[in-house]
Amino acid sequence: ARYAPVPEVVTVEAAAASGNYIAQYQLAQDKLRSGDFAGGAALMRKAALKGLPMAQYALAKLHERGTGVPKDLTLSREWTEKAALGGNVKAMHDLAVFLAEGEGGEQSYAGAVEWFCKGAEYGVVDSQYNLGVLYEQGLGISPNLTESLFWFQVAAKNGDGGAPSKVAELKSRVSPEAAGQAAARADAWTPSPANAIANGRFGAQPWNIGNPL
């Protein structure tokens, strides 16, 4: 009997070497997990430079901790911003924290509000809670207790441990009508769908599905 030759198995190493940025990101994660911090960081930088938001966020965290690269909050913030602009929702939250605290660059509560709002809309619970704090205190935005109550209720609905006490406190500070409106909005709220690839959901790749032949 004659059979067609079995195709070559695609490996993550070969795909990364050929320039595939998803393979570079996944191989970088493997190297970091195995303790090869310099090799992992170098590959992560390659994927980040090609524009993969998940790799840009991972590289930002490496610079934040000084893992395989120099510890540098300015660079960490720069890569976090690139990842956030590319659609990575964790980067949106982290960029808002950088802006609120003034680490790695200029401090801006208005900028923090903008990015906490984006993270909150995509379902980042810490962003939802922090947005409630900023609306309550009027930091970077006009104070609005009803809007603050709404975001604390959304955070509570999504499992934040500190949000229920803030909900109880704010309900006593707004009118019953405002509290009812905030509760109805929170009950109906659903997160916006986030870009899968930008957030590390790559689906099956040739190097991780095996070779059925």
Side-chain angles (χ1 to χ4, degrees):
R2 295 174 180 271
Y3 299 96
V6 176
E8 295 274 335
V9 175
V10 178
T11 65
V12 67
E13 291 84 2
S18 71
N20 183 299
Y21 63 15
I22 293 176
Q24 289 171 341
Y25 168 80
Q26 292 186 340
L27 184 57
Q29 293 285 58
D30 290 343
K31 286 180 178 293
L32 291 167
R33 280 191 289 268
S34 70
D36 181 3
F37 301 126
L43 263 179
M44 195 67 75
R45 181 176 175 79
K46 286 185 178 181
L49 287 169
K50 286 179 180 289
L52 180 62
M54 191 68 224
Q56 292 168 341
Y57 178 67
L59 183 60
K61 302 307 286 184
L62 294 178
H63 277 296
E64 183 181 327
R65 303 185 189 107
T67 303
V69 291
K71 184 172 182 176
D72 188 325
L73 289 182
T74 300
L75 275 177
S76 178
R77 177 166 165 167
E78 288 174 4
W79 281 112
T80 299
E81 184 173 9
K82 290 179 190 295
L85 289 169
N88 184 278
V89 300
K90 290 183 178 179
M92 294 175 190
H93 174 81
D94 285 10
L95 179 57
V97 172
F98 274 124
L99 287 160
E101 297 181 352
E103 287 191 323
E106 192 176 325
Q107 195 269 348
S108 169
Y109 281 122
V113 169
E114 176 188 356
W115 285 103
F116 277 139
C117 189
K118 290 179 189 293
E121 292 290 357
Y122 282 115
V124 181
V125 179
D126 287 343
S127 287
Q128 294 163 355
Y129 184 93
N130 290 356
L131 194 55
V133 171
L134 295 181
Y135 269 115
E136 180 186 13
Q137 299 180 4
L139 295 171
I141 199 166
S142 299
N144 186 326
L145 294 184
T146 303
E147 199 67 14
S148 175
L149 174 59
F150 162 69
W151 280 114
F152 281 129
Q153 286 179 314
V154 171
K157 172 183 172 181
N158 288 294
D160 185 275
S165 63
K166 295 299 296 183
V167 170
E169 175 194 336
L170 285 170
K171 277 184 176 179
S172 67
R173 297 170 61 190
V174 301
S175 68
E177 294 77 15
Q181 289 172 359
R185 285 175 60 206
D187 286 340
W189 182 89
T190 55
S192 299
N195 179 279
I197 290 178
N199 290 279
R201 299 188 300 278
F202 304 124
Q205 298 295 321
W207 54 85
N208 59 27
I209 60 174
N211 185 345
L213 291 177

